[in-house]
Amino acid sequence: MLAFIVQRLFQAIVVMFVVALISFTMFQFVGDPVNNMVGQEATTEQRDALRERLGLNDTIPVQFAHYVMNAVQGEFGLSYRMGKPVQELIAERMPATMELVAVSALMALLIGVPMGVYTGLHRNSWLSRGFLTISLVGISLPTFVIGILMILAFGVWLGWLPTFGRGGVVDLGVWKTSLMTAQGWSHIIMPATTLALFQLTLIMRLVRAEMLEVLRTDYIKFARARGLRDRAINYGHALKNTLVPVITIMGLQIGSLLAFSIITETVFAWPGMGLLFLQGIQFVDIPVMSSYLVLMALFFVIINLTVDLLYYAVDPRLRSEHVGAGH
Amino acid sequence: MSARGTSIMAADIDHRALAPSLPRRAADSVHRFFDGDVFYSFRNSPVAMISFAVTMVLLILAVFAPWIAPHNTDDVSTLNLMNARFPPYGFTDDFGTEGVAQFLLGTDDQGRDILSAIIFGLKVSLEVGFASVILAAVTGTFLGLVSGYAGGKLDSFIMRIADVQLTFPSILIALLIDGIAGGLMPRALHDEMKIYVLIIAIAASQWVNFARTVRGSTLVEKNKEYVQAAKVIGVHPALIMFRHVLPNVTGPVLVIGTLSLAIAVLTEATLSFLGVGLPVTRPSLGTLIRIGQQYIFSGEWWMTIFPSLALVILVLAVNLLGDWLRDALNPKLR
Amino acid sequence: MAASTQPPLLEVKNLRIEFPTRRGTLVAVDDVSFDIAEGEVLGVVGESGAGKSLTGASIIGLLEPPGRIAGGEVYLAGRRIDNLPYEKMRQVRGREIGMVFQDPLTSLNPLYSVGSQLVETIRTHTDMSESAAQQRAIDLLGEVGIPSPKIRINQYPHQFSGGMRQRVVIALALCVNPKLIIADEPTTALDVSIQAQIIDLLKRLCRDHGAAVMLITHDMGVIAETANRVAVMYAGRLAEIGPVGQVIKNAKHPYTHGLMGSIPKLAHATERLVQIEGTMPRLTEIPNGCAFNPRCPKVFARCMVERPDLTPVDSSQISCWLYDKTMERTGSHG
């Protein structure tokens, strides 16, 4: 158990180190940060002063050490474009993205899993076929097209829902939430649905495929041969085994939700981190890009660790002291 | 590029013409795939036939775009602002302007015919899609073969990269590569090189699927006796093996390739929609949707709806085809 | 053998199993009739694909679609069970007919402890309390020879070896004292050294619990040691059925004869093994007349056109024209 966690932690640290190296390299080779920050008419002295202040005159290993030290403390430097510390910009934007992702993830899970189980168990019913057809359309509909269609339908034509921004946010000190007012919910519903739809269909199809796979196994046949009730077989034996691989994918999907929130935030002008990152790319704002990258990597690493631990909780094969022992 | 794509699709039909040029094993497996169950299932699946037909029509439109499209939207000199913002034929916009038959699907703010823009956009989208899938398939297959055959450190190195990359969503990787390229090149050069950057970025986010599948098949073949036998008689086992592995992975690679094409087209559209894809001078479907999106609030929905529809139809048809192909090649799922 | 006035425990009459395919309907089991008396062990032998397992699966009502019972009847203690509604048949499974599968490694659900799988089965079919069922589970584990059952009951399948798992599977099949056990190749997946132990265990337990056994296997050695009677299947049909001594020492059907000739005998170590020429026909290519006619050393004209029925010869029943004294077809099954 301990060895397993240590091993995973070590892997996570390696991944983070590599990501830090990549984003540091971006600083080194992509553009000249000084040119990016000062105007054409800046004097050589001004440039040198800035260069010194940014620590660009140190040797590369020293700069990397600085970079890592700063990053660990949550400092990623100044945004070239906005001249503000990146961590402040991100802290401002993070709650919006997190709430969007959390609401979408819940929607995708709470609707996707039951739909997947249903279509797996009743694979030939007309409702299953309907779900599957819709899911194919859902997978083929790009996130931004869904967003645009929703804006057109519910925003422009019907005028029911607001089409951009977060609406009324409640300041909880460190966290500004839009989930505490009806107006906030009216703002989040369309972006969250847009973001969730793709994941929902994916989860549904995955759960279905996994369910069909499990229902073909010998232990399900043996359970039937023992005369167990269908309910016990489907929801006890089959579902539990289905969830083991599904947990991994769901972990990945949360990462994917974070990434796709970039698109949703663009469509709905949602003031989150994704929008910040996208503007960073367009203006080659390296500090913003690299800190977003590091932050995403950190999220993914944490998600993967959580998934591993969940695995551990569900699957006794990993839990036992002597795996594969005989008598 | 599109022509190359057509020949992949054509393998569905014209395998007999293709077969003699392939090694015997490959020919056999091609026969196995397309002679029996797969072909039968194709003839009995209206979904497969329709999606195949739709894909073919869209491919033909894309390949012959300059001859088919009513207006050459690449030529800016033919644009006339007098023609701007016409609604589709048969519709009237909020200001009372009626659509004309000359512009079946209406025009954009520059007076560009939407139908023609879509046909040219389709061409761009498919070019990027096919190019990146082929690049990803070749790279992924090669790395998968090497990884599976070499084993040891090289294998775990390649697969570790694949693992890490799999945890990062493809769109993020593509965005990042694009962003870095943008930083490395001057603006003008970047616009010119954009399409190649985009192809590489999308391919980089897709090679993993190919590599993993091919590696799996390679590992299976590697332990078979004929590989050992080849060693004994002095033939380089790698050569013999690849000759046997490649035919075995034709099916899976074809399935992944088809599904990847859908994803590649979507990724390109998404990047272009986000404004980091192709420049407006060569609009793909995603660019068209982005431009049109600004006009939905003023009621000019056709500028974004029709390109969206074209994109969805293309992706849906390719997805359905890939989905059917996967089921057809994997009988236990039926 | 089963000539008492009481109905036999299991009676299979003219069972026919079909698989509809796109090339027409395949008949996998054709006109198979036999019965099993209470406490009796019936061995069912034949090559793979002869229809042994399908026959077993159809008795317990677990024939997998698209396979279906197209004709015939199955009676359990005089009650017809092949047409029972699903819920009624579920109550028969486990309660009246137990089943042991081939591979103990995959027969148990990896995510549940063996105890919870036993308790679940016991409580599905009886009114026993949780603790009583728990106690019964411990007793059963002890009975099938698992050391320190009180500790082992809380362990998961992966913590048991293959042989131990098959013991658990047998405990599960017997846990509510069914009258009949269908054992489908129960030792094929096990180590040779363990096979004899498992067969002994199965034999002893079924005797103790008064359960009859339908033992499906292709291992004549197992049959010789365990069974009271043997049914020999070939290409979905019964070739011969009779007391084990008679079938083994004095096989009448040319196929059974060949089958016996292929078993090495220690006493005659110098004797060459006899091999039956050819292979069993595929279900699509079963010839007219007797299914064995292409391989039969004693084939004659009638075998090519007319299909032989089971005919009593001594205490066995044989379906072979060699033993037909009349020249007409006799419809009797004895």
Side-chain angles (χ1 to χ4, degrees), chain B residues 36-37 40, chain C residues 21-23:
Chain B
D37 293 346
Y40 174 82
Chain C
T21 71
R22 62 182 164 100
R23 294 199 173 93

Side-chain angles (χ1 to χ4, degrees), chain C residues 168-202:
Chain C
V168 174
V169 168
I170 290 172
L172 275 162
L174 278 167
C175 66
V176 278
N177 291 322
K179 288 172 271 180
L180 173 68
I181 296 282
I182 299 173
D184 190 354
E185 310 252 7
T187 57
T188 310
L190 297 174
D191 265 13
V192 180
S193 57
I194 297 168
Q195 288 184 356
Q197 291 175 22
I198 295 296
I199 286 293
D200 281 349
L201 177 76
L202 190 68

Side-chain angles (χ1 to χ4, degrees), chain A residues 290-312:
Chain A
S290 80
S291 54
Y292 183 81
L293 174 68
V294 171
L295 200 64
M296 282 296 125
L298 185 66
F299 280 140
F300 291 168
V301 161
I302 291 172
I303 290 166
N304 279 340
L305 270 178
T306 317
V307 165
D308 284 339
L309 292 178
L310 268 180
Y311 241 178
Y312 200 82

